[in-house]
Amino acid sequence: MAQTILPFGPQHPVLPEPIHLKLTVEDEIVVDALPALGYVHRGLEKLCDIRDYNQMVQIVERVCGICSKIHAMCYCQGIEEMMGVQVPDRAKVLRVVWSELHRVHSHLLWLGLFADAFGFEALFYQFWKIREKVMDINEATTGNRVIVSVNEVGGVRRDLSAEQIRWIEAELKVVEKQVRELRSTILDDYTVKKRTVGKGVLTGAQALELGAVGPTLRGSGVFQDARQLKYAAFDRIDFQPIAYPNGDSWSRCAVRYDETLQSIDLVRQALARLPEGELSTKVKGKPEGEVVTRVEQPRGELLYYLKGNGTNNLDRCRIRTPTFSNIPPLVVMLPGLELADVPVVVLSIDPCISCTER
Amino acid sequence: MPIPAKQVTKETLVAEVAQYKSAGWRFVTATCVDLNENEFDILYHFDKDLTMEHLRLTVPKTEPVPSLSGVYLAAFLVENEIQDQFGLCFDGLALNFANHLYLDDEVATTPFCKFGVVRKTAAAE
């Protein structure tokens, strides 16, 4: 049978951002996949040459439009470790609150996009409608829906009042109820399972060998989550990673669905343990030395390598985003699939090209 | 303080990394740092059960570095990125974009180099 090479992307209905896959197809079956990046690369890491280490907080927030808060938290943690800054407990807990709210809205965004990928428009609409409540919480508590800019080196810029905490808890109760109502549709529906079960299988051993992270790794049965490192206030919160064993698109979806509910619980736990105190520690001096720091983004482990030279500008700011790590596993998932399943499997890793092309 | 990293050479790098793989470590990523006009540091990061270890390779800018993609396939992407951004060449890259992962033909410089410009010499495979 003759082989045909088909371009998938960079513009494709399931891709909100541009990535290109050169698919070699034989009789509608994918036999090889080659990724191509670089359509929107911005070189943000290099800006550390001209922006000082405080200004870089705003730069790294713009690496990703969906998990900007978590980028800034990871960066700030790195600088704080390098400079020996003790962050106040209240700031640590608030960082958990906003980062888990980010995870909730990111997963709801993805659950909607995933439903859209297999043509379930009503489900797409429902998940995005629920997500709006979380965006409203972000806007009311930080002033912005996505780029929330609450982090600074030494702590956080914003506080939550007792009234806001009560309102957030009430809103999350509604969000939780509405998400639970959609469980059987997204995970048990016959047509949804036909499009996701057994599609794009990645075994646990393959996932580890190929460097998969986040729900892509945990969807292959590996219980690993950077939140187990107990950064920020995770040392005072009950947390266990969620994993499903089958390694297919359904498992990755189930991980994200369960994590949405889990993150709502983590926000509640954090709010219940919010101590009184300062929001930020005054930072003196200039960063010097090297540090590697990791946190868990909605799409997986995020790593920052920072090198300071005792001036206001860093020598190096290296960002390893989760989608960058999940591209090699994706290339291995695709061969053997029918062409019609490719969009759903590509979306199952929750590709964030904004992160990848930082 | 520099991060604790075991210093390796070009000759010992692949063997050291193969040991990490056989012991079940996950390849996290590699980081290239422009040290001065003549040298790069490449840091290789590994994870096992949320513990990280690092290898440090200091290399002249003009010399190629052995690719890890034969040991960990996942390394091909970050090695291509370093090739684009810093002009460093990798020997034995499993999938070599030959400086075209991010860059177009007309880009003559290596955009992430702080000290000087390294000419690109990698050829498409």
Side-chain angles (χ1 to χ4, degrees):
Chain A
M1 181 64 65
Q3 292 187 342
T4 309
I5 295 177
L6 287 178
F8 180 88
Q11 311 302 329
H12 190 280
V14 300
L15 294 173
E17 302 170 284
I19 182 173
H20 175 71
L21 292 166
K22 190 191 281 185
L23 301 175
T24 306
V25 179
E26 197 176 290
D27 194 20
E28 295 274 318
I29 304 294
V30 177
V31 293
D32 195 22
L34 190 64
L37 308 173
Y39 293 95
V40 288
H41 199 278
R42 295 160 290 164
L44 292 178
E45 295 171 356
K46 185 67 176 162
L47 281 177
C48 69
D49 286 354
I50 55 172
R51 300 290 178 204
D52 71 41
Y53 73 92
N54 283 309
Q55 292 172 321
M56 280 301 287
V57 180
Q58 275 74 50
I59 301 291
V60 299
E61 280 177 343
R62 279 144 183 86
V63 169
C64 180
I66 305 300
C67 43
S68 64
K69 154 75 182 63
I70 304 180
H71 271 283
M73 178 171 68
C74 190
Y75 172 83
C76 289
Q77 280 183 188
I79 297 289
E80 287 152 4
E81 185 182 332
M82 212 188 304
M83 298 179 76
V85 176
Q86 289 297 319
V87 177
D89 285 348
R90 188 171 179 88
K92 287 181 180 176
V93 175
L94 287 170
R95 282 178 174 180
V96 169
V97 170
W98 279 304
S99 64
E100 292 310 308
L101 284 170
H102 261 58
R103 197 179 317 278
V104 173
H105 92 67
S106 176
H107 281 352
L108 289 171
L109 176 116
W110 178 84
L111 286 161
L113 289 174
F114 195 55
D116 186 48
F118 46 71
F120 204 152
E121 298 290 336
L123 192 55
F124 158 71
Y125 167 75
Q126 288 296 329
F127 276 120
W128 278 39
K129 187 177 156 193
I130 299 169
R131 176 175 178 259
E132 280 303 303
K133 279 206 176 297
V134 187
M135 307 310 279
D136 288 345
I137 295 174
N138 276 347
E139 188 171 5
T141 56
T142 71
N144 265 325
R145 285 161 57 88
V146 179
I147 310 281
V148 296
S149 284
V150 289
N151 283 286
E152 62 180 0
V153 177
V156 292
R157 296 169 187 273
R158 298 235 180 199
D159 201 358
L160 293 177
S161 66
E163 188 185 348
Q164 282 178 314
I165 289 171
R166 282 194 298 276
W167 175 71
I168 292 169
E169 286 171 340
E171 290 292 287
L172 288 180
K173 196 175 281 184
V174 178
V175 171
E176 183 183 11
K177 179 175 176 289
Q178 292 176 340
V179 172
R180 284 191 189 282
E181 284 170 358
L182 296 178
R183 188 186 193 285
S184 62
T185 312
I186 188 75
L187 295 180
D188 299 335
D189 182 86
Y190 173 80
T191 51
V192 173
K193 288 173 91 170
K194 286 292 275 186
R195 296 302 307 273
T196 56
V197 172
K199 307 290 186 188
V201 174
L202 188 73
T203 66
Q206 282 177 316
L208 282 170
E209 186 180 336
L210 292 164
V213 294
T216 306
L217 178 66
R218 294 191 288 279
S220 296
V222 181
F223 286 84
Q224 188 169 322
D225 188 310
R227 286 174 285 181
Q228 292 169 290
L229 291 166
K230 301 192 181 302
Y231 60 83
F234 279 104
D235 56 344
R236 65 196 77 180
I237 287 173
D238 295 331
F239 169 77
Q240 287 297 322
I242 291 166
Y244 278 80
N246 295 337
D248 56 6
S249 296
W250 186 91
S251 294
R252 293 187 277 279
C253 178
V255 169
R256 291 193 185 91
Y257 176 85
D258 285 359
E259 283 187 358
T260 307
L261 295 171
Q262 181 189 49
S263 289
I264 292 172
D265 178 57
L266 294 176
V267 173
R268 285 197 188 114
Q269 286 193 50
L271 291 174
R273 292 164 171 77
L274 187 61
E276 293 298 326
E278 297 294 315
L279 294 180
S280 189
T281 303
K282 193 168 174 57
V283 177
K284 292 176 182 167
K286 311 277 171 62
E288 187 167 17
E290 279 181 313
V291 68
V292 173
T293 181
R294 293 184 287 173
V295 301
E296 188 75 12
Q297 262 192 356
R299 291 161 190 80
E301 172 198 78
L302 169 69
L303 177 143
Y304 271 65
Y305 166 87
L306 304 170
K307 184 177 182 187
N309 56 11
T311 71
N312 272 328
N313 294 91
L314 295 175
D315 252 356
R316 182 83 168 102
C317 171
R318 155 93 172 116
I319 308 167
R320 202 301 316 276
T321 62
T323 301
F324 193 87
S325 278
N326 285 331
I327 287 176
L330 174 66
V331 170
V332 172
M333 283 177 209
L334 295 176
L337 285 175
E338 289 183 36
L339 190 57
D341 289 324
V342 169
V344 177
V345 171
V346 169
L347 213 66
S348 75
I349 69 160
D350 193 3
C352 179
I353 308 306
S354 176
C355 272
T356 309
E357 310 246 18
R358 62 225 173 274
Chain B
M1 282 280 287
I3 55 170
K6 183 178 180 182
Q7 191 79 39
V8 292
T9 65
K10 286 200 301 182
E11 290 71 33
T12 60
L13 171 68
V14 175
E16 290 275 359
V17 171
Q19 284 182 14
Y20 273 100
K21 185 176 181 186
S22 60
W25 288 73
R26 173 171 62 92
F27 175 74
V28 177
T29 195
T31 301
C32 185
V33 183
D34 200 2
L35 291 180
N36 51 49
E37 292 197 355
N38 303 313
E39 289 175 316
F40 289 125
D41 251 1
I42 304 181
L43 287 149
Y44 296 95
H45 313 284
F46 301 90
D47 172 280
K48 189 176 182 185
D49 301 330
L50 295 167
T51 301
M52 282 200 97
E53 287 193 6
H54 317 274
L55 297 178
R56 188 188 300 272
L57 174 69
T58 305
V59 283
K61 289 183 175 180
T62 51
E63 292 180 15
V65 175
S67 169
L68 299 190
S69 58
V71 184
Y72 288 101
L73 177 64
F76 84 86
L77 204 53
V78 69
E79 288 178 343
N80 272 290
E81 181 174 277
I82 291 171
Q83 202 162 257
D84 268 33
Q85 294 177 335
F86 292 91
L88 194 62
C89 295
F90 287 87
D91 276 342
L93 245 174
L95 185 57
N96 192 348
F97 289 83
N99 300 318
H100 291 88
L101 179 67
Y102 298 142
L103 304 181
D104 283 332
D105 280 339
E106 70 264 25
V107 182
T109 60
T110 47
F112 272 51
C113 279
K114 198 182 289 255
F115 300 98
V117 174
V118 181
R119 292 188 66 81
K120 297 179 293 184
T121 54
E125 284 183 354

